[in-house]
Amino acid sequence: MKRAIPVLALSVAGLVPVWLYSPGAAHEGELTEVAAPETPQQTQAAPKTTGSAPKTTGSAPKATGSAPATQPQQQQQVQARTVSGPAVNTSEGTVQVQVTFQGTKITDVKALRAPNSNPTRMALPLLRQSALKAQSADIDTVSGATATSEGYKQSLQAAIDGAQ
């Protein structure tokens, strides 16, 4: 019994630094989502392959009728644009987002850079969903990923401002 108290005290003393450990910036990796941006050729390829011209050669009025239908789609595709926000340094790491706009509507938000931690990996989908729903950077902070959330919102707001 005399040895149990010192063993218990030393065990707790040894575990406290492990519980409080947080990797510094030198040990921290960053998540990088690199998605190839859609090119106009990729998005226009689908309407061209769905046309009925190869199946029926005698339907010239249908072929001319389908041309105006693709022109508004092409005009909408021209309006689609992506804007990257600045890289925001937080206490947890660097956060940077890229926003895709269709006209003035936010259609996608991607994290280009984010801290490589479990709270951040869990927070990014929630932040994206909130931004798409709110159509602005006025979104709630994700509990447990406060620094990442604040950096995300700052980069998102800067990207929105840059698109206007």
Side-chain angles (χ1 to χ4, degrees), residues 99-113:
V99 184
T100 303
F101 294 92
Q102 184 77 30
T104 58
K105 183 179 178 186
I106 298 173
T107 57
D108 194 19
V109 181
K110 293 182 182 179
L112 297 178
R113 297 173 67 183

Side-chain angles (χ1 to χ4, degrees), residues 7-157:
V7 168
L8 183 61
L10 290 174
S11 296
V12 170
L15 288 175
V16 168
V18 173
W19 289 328
L20 298 177
Y21 176 74
S22 176
H27 299 287
E28 187 172 322
E30 288 189 354
L31 294 175
T32 54
E33 281 187 30
V34 180
E38 283 190 20
T39 61
Q41 293 85 11
Q42 289 173 333
T43 55
Q44 290 175 6
K48 288 181 182 178
T49 57
T50 59
S52 60
K55 293 179 184 177
T56 57
T57 57
S59 61
K62 289 182 182 178
T64 58
S66 64
T70 58
Q71 288 177 352
Q73 289 175 354
Q74 290 173 351
Q75 290 172 355
Q76 290 174 355
Q77 290 169 358
V78 172
Q79 293 174 353
R81 64 194 185 285
T82 58
V83 179
S84 294
V88 177
N89 292 320
T90 70
S91 60
E92 296 299 317
T94 305
V95 180
Q96 183 179 20
V97 300
Q98 180 182 55
V99 184
T100 303
F101 294 92
Q102 184 77 30
T104 58
K105 183 179 178 186
I106 298 173
T107 57
D108 194 19
V109 181
K110 293 182 182 179
L112 297 178
R113 297 173 67 183
N116 188 15
S117 65
N118 284 336
T120 296
R121 284 191 293 271
M122 291 173 43
L124 289 177
L126 299 172
L127 292 166
R128 178 184 178 274
Q129 181 181 9
S130 296
L132 291 173
K133 184 177 179 182
Q135 290 293 301
S136 71
D138 186 21
I139 57 177
D140 291 334
T141 299
V142 176
S143 179
T146 304
T148 299
S149 298
E150 293 301 321
Y152 191 97
K153 291 193 293 188
Q154 289 176 19
S155 185
L156 176 61
Q157 184 61 56

